Amino acid sequence: MPSTIQAGVYSVTLHYLKAVAAAGTTEAAAVMRKMHELPISDATIRNGTLRADGRMVHDTYLFRVKSPAESKEPYDFYELQATIPAKDAFRPLEESSCPALKHG
């Protein structure tokens, strides 16, 4: 079973490769535009987007750890309790402290 870090690397690499394919080039500016335009959805991330401040926002989850008796197969450790939508899980773009953004 991949670790959280391995799953994250897979996700970002997959998103990059999708952006390269959509842009039709490996030129950085064109690929970055596509990375910001394309939704992020894979085995690791659901309902993800790359915002103007560079933050990737996505749905997050609240899990309960199962007891050993509840686990029925290898890696069956968690039970999903709630999904927090991306818009509620991260600080709004308007509150970003990114110095590259200009707030009006």
Side-chain angles (χ1 to χ4, degrees), residues 4 18 21 28 46 56 61 68 77 97 101:
T4 301
K18 287 178 180 179
R46 300 284 186 277
M56 194 268 291
Y61 308 98
F77 302 126
S97 60
L101 292 178

Side-chain angles (χ1 to χ4, degrees), residues 82-100:
T83 300
I84 299 98
K87 67 179 183 61
D88 298 328
F90 294 87
R91 176 183 295 165
L93 180 60
E94 301 78 38
E95 295 176 20
S96 175
S97 60
C98 178

Side-chain angles (χ1 to χ4, degrees), residues 31-82:
V31 172
M32 282 302 297
R33 277 192 299 278
K34 285 297 178 187
M35 289 182 79
H36 283 274
E37 291 172 12
L38 294 173
I40 304 166
S41 185
D42 56 40
T44 303
I45 299 297
R46 300 284 186 277
N47 194 30
T49 58
L50 186 58
R51 295 191 323 196
D53 64 351
R55 180 171 290 216
M56 194 268 291
V57 297
H58 54 87
D59 291 349
T60 59
Y61 308 98
L62 175 64
F63 289 96
R64 180 186 68 80
V65 177
K66 292 181 177 182
S67 71
E70 293 174 296
S71 296
K72 304 299 182 203
E73 56 191 56
Y75 304 106
D76 182 25
F77 302 126
Y78 307 105
E79 179 182 349
L80 179 63
Q81 300 293 297

